[in-house]
Amino acid sequence: MSQQHTEQQLDFVDDVTGAAERESEHRERGTARPITVVGNPVLHRECKDVTAFDESLLALVDDMFASQRAAEGVGLAANQIGVDLKVFVYDCADDDDVRHVGAVCNPVAVELPADRRRLDDSNEGCLSVPGAYMELARPDYAVVRGQDLQGNPVVVQGTGYFARCLQHETDHLYGRLYIDRLSKRDRKDVMRQMAEATPRFETVPND
């Protein structure tokens, strides 16, 4: 899943300029869909690669932005609305309150040198585990390689909260939820929180 690169080789995408306008355009074209929750099979297996960069992909991304906004999220993977494809969207601020908006297809986390792996143990939550939060240590800097909606290579970098978002959404597309990285005790606590909470958005029941 991970490939090693030096940062000097990477040309990072500008996902800041026009962020609000781009998010609004996607969201207004899209239709919000219900969110899948832990236990739904599509969340627990690796998704299929995006191979067709066409109108159906653009329509899916529009729906993902609409769904993300409806659920008050900062990132959303396609399998969180039941679609088995490696694409995620994000509308997330970093720790400097800079807003980042974009979409990444076929993401791969770049393996960073040891001196860039300072861990941040902030709380993490997930729309697919509604109403629950738990501390989880992740690097406070992340780089993800992938493709844009036209199939062109793209590289996204993030710090702080946005770094957490990039890692969280990439994990989703390989069938891993953040709770899978927790101890058994913390995972049990998260599932208890979820059971006691009422989702603020429409979810897909696990029948």
Side-chain angles (χ1 to χ4, degrees), residues 2-97:
S2 297
Q3 296 184 16
Q4 214 158 19
H5 295 265
T6 63
E7 290 177 70
Q8 288 73 22
Q9 294 174 309
L10 303 177
D11 184 15
F12 298 115
V13 68
D14 177 7
D15 56 7
V16 173
T17 304
E21 293 79 4
R22 285 184 286 109
E23 188 275 338
S24 178
E25 289 170 2
H26 281 297
R27 173 170 44 85
E28 289 174 4
R29 289 192 300 261
T31 301
R33 305 191 200 180
I35 304 295
T36 55
V37 296
V38 58
N40 189 303
V42 74
L43 292 174
H44 301 282
R45 60 174 183 261
E46 181 174 344
C47 293
K48 296 175 182 176
D49 289 344
V50 175
T51 57
F53 297 87
D54 54 14
E55 291 299 318
S56 64
L57 176 64
L58 296 177
L60 169 62
V61 167
D62 289 344
D63 285 357
M64 290 172 68
F65 272 105
S67 303
Q68 175 177 257
R69 175 58 70 92
E72 299 179 4
V74 297
L76 188 77
N79 53 358
Q80 291 185 273
I81 56 169
V83 178
D84 186 12
L85 278 178
K86 281 182 184 164
V87 55
F88 72 77
V89 303
Y90 58 88
D91 178 6
C92 185
D94 58 29
D95 284 0
D96 294 320
D97 205 30

Side-chain angles (χ1 to χ4, degrees), residues 195-207:
E196 293 175 354
T198 300
R200 302 185 313 274
F201 45 83
E202 185 180 2
T203 61
V204 178
N206 291 332
D207 296 328

Side-chain angles (χ1 to χ4, degrees), residues 130-148:
Y133 301 90
M134 184 59 64
E135 289 183 356
L136 176 62
R138 288 192 190 265
D140 69 351
Y141 176 66
V143 176
V144 170
R145 296 170 53 252
Q147 293 167 280
D148 66 15

